[in-house]
Amino acid sequence: MKRILVADVGGTNARFAIATLGRGSVSLSDEHTVPSASQPSLEAAALAYRARVPVAIELASIAIAGPVKDNVAHVTNLPWVVDGAVLSSALGVATRVMNDFEAVARGVRLVPRELRATLQDGEHDEHGPVAILGAGTGLGEALLVGDRVLATEGGHASFAPNDEEDASLLAFTRKKLAGGHVSVERLVSGMGLVTILEWLEATDRAHATAATHAAMATEDDAAVIGRTGTDGSDPACRIAVDRLVRLYGAEAGNLALKTLPHGGLFVAGGIAKKILPRLREGFLSAFVAKGRMRSVLETIPVHVILDGDVGLRGAAS
């Protein structure tokens, strides 16, 4: 059995664990999460974890939310450069750095069926491509073809409005960014959920309650909006969550049209499982709303991954 230090590093949290590889299985132990921004570098965070969990390891595998080239990653939503050679020297073992959605793609097949929520059965082809996208701090996308993973930065493609409300939201976001590029990630993510509520309030479409604003003063804004929008305790946040769901479904439909993933389209990331009741209500209608291609998209299996460890499992595998 082989022990590997694995990590799943995003703009909000860095998650570490020890993965033990058996024949066709990955088990995780000693999981620990730290706020990413609380650490000066990934090397510092990894060494602090090693001091906390000093078990013998043979390798390290690090999944990073950002583009990776030559075992070096620039973290998109953190001022970090993660160099596999530097980590190897610090940890004393060979270290591989990969895109976080490469890790998720590699972990999809390890997710048990009970940790999947099916939104659409479709027509499954076990040999077909598999597409993965997931919103959290940002938006990741990847494609799995056979055993080959194509990690992408598709979340940074340009956002395209689908109706007049989306067009207003796009104009608002562009102004917020001082005329900068509005990517899909800017709106289909935790930061996007905050922007959507800001747009609702700035344009007098809806206003969050005083209780919601009080909670946002001490908690993560996106978490508050997602919670109060999903449980229905704040009508404005419900509108914001439902708008996010429609944008999420539309982008999933875009990805599906470009990849025809009859092996399944999997929705991962931290947001989906937290707003699953709202996702069940509006995601599919936006997913299939592609005019003449509606009938094609109705054949794509669509599942939500409820396993929060999918990235760690994929990094190990």
Side-chain angles (χ1 to χ4, degrees):
M1 301 249 268
K2 183 176 289 187
R3 282 201 181 109
I4 300 175
L5 185 152
V6 291
D8 188 359
V9 181
T12 302
N13 291 314
R15 302 177 62 231
F16 295 89
I18 301 298
T20 303
L21 302 188
R23 290 187 175 180
S25 68
V26 175
S27 61
L28 300 171
S29 63
D30 299 297
E31 292 188 47
H32 182 62
T33 300
V34 296
S36 300
S38 71
Q39 303 295 314
S41 66
L42 184 57
E43 299 89 76
L47 288 172
Y49 176 75
R50 293 295 291 132
R52 180 188 182 97
V53 185
V55 301
I57 57 172
E58 297 178 55
L59 298 166
S61 184
I62 311 296
I64 298 289
V68 179
K69 184 177 181 182
D70 298 330
N71 215 31
V72 177
H74 294 261
V75 187
T76 303
N77 292 304
L78 280 174
W80 289 359
V81 175
V82 178
D83 188 323
V86 173
L87 279 168
S88 294
S89 177
L91 295 171
V93 295
T95 301
R96 181 184 175 191
V97 177
M98 69 178 72
N99 176 267
D100 60 335
F101 267 74
E102 176 183 349
V104 173
R106 294 190 182 282
V108 160
R109 290 173 176 162
L110 299 170
V111 175
R113 291 194 177 275
E114 61 269 21
L115 290 179
R116 300 179 187 176
T118 297
L119 301 184
Q120 177 169 274
D121 289 323
E123 299 172 8
H124 179 72
D125 176 359
E126 64 178 319
H127 301 297
V130 173
I132 305 98
L133 81 164
T137 304
L139 177 68
E141 299 184 359
L143 183 65
L144 177 64
V145 183
D147 291 325
R148 185 179 182 189
V149 175
L150 304 177
T152 82
E153 290 299 330
H156 295 281
S158 300
F159 172 74
N162 292 294
D163 58 23
E164 290 183 3
E165 294 286 276
D166 285 356
S168 173
L169 175 58
L170 173 60
F172 175 85
T173 309
R174 183 176 287 125
K175 184 176 180 180
K176 178 180 177 179
L177 296 173
H181 175 239
V182 180
S183 65
V184 183
E185 176 178 278
R186 292 289 188 180
L187 292 167
V188 183
S189 63
M191 66 177 127
L193 191 52
V194 175
T195 295
I196 292 168
L197 182 63
E198 290 174 347
W199 163 70
L200 289 171
E201 295 192 318
T203 57
D204 286 327
R205 283 171 165 83
H207 292 272
T209 66
T212 293
H213 281 291
M216 289 166 64
T218 58
E219 301 176 52
D220 178 75
D221 289 359
V224 173
I225 299 166
R227 181 179 69 244
T228 59
T230 301
D231 67 21
S233 60
D234 189 316
C237 291
R238 169 65 65 88
I239 294 170
V241 168
D242 287 348
R243 175 63 54 176
L244 173 74
V245 166
R246 287 194 291 275
L247 300 180
Y248 206 165
E251 175 60 13
N254 290 339
L255 179 60
L257 285 175
K258 293 173 183 177
T259 58
L260 296 179
H262 283 286
L265 181 137
F266 289 85
V267 183
I271 290 177
K273 61 183 179 179
K274 294 177 182 176
I275 64 169
L276 184 59
R278 303 312 305 156
L279 211 67
R280 291 187 186 278
E281 291 290 323
F283 186 93
L284 270 183
S285 60
F287 176 76
V288 301
K290 301 297 182 186
R292 294 172 292 170
M293 291 293 105
R294 181 186 186 95
S295 60
V296 173
L297 292 175
E298 288 175 338
T299 68
I300 304 296
V302 180
H303 311 281
V304 179
I305 296 175
L306 305 177
D307 182 2
D309 290 332
V310 62
L312 293 173
R313 296 185 201 283
S317 74

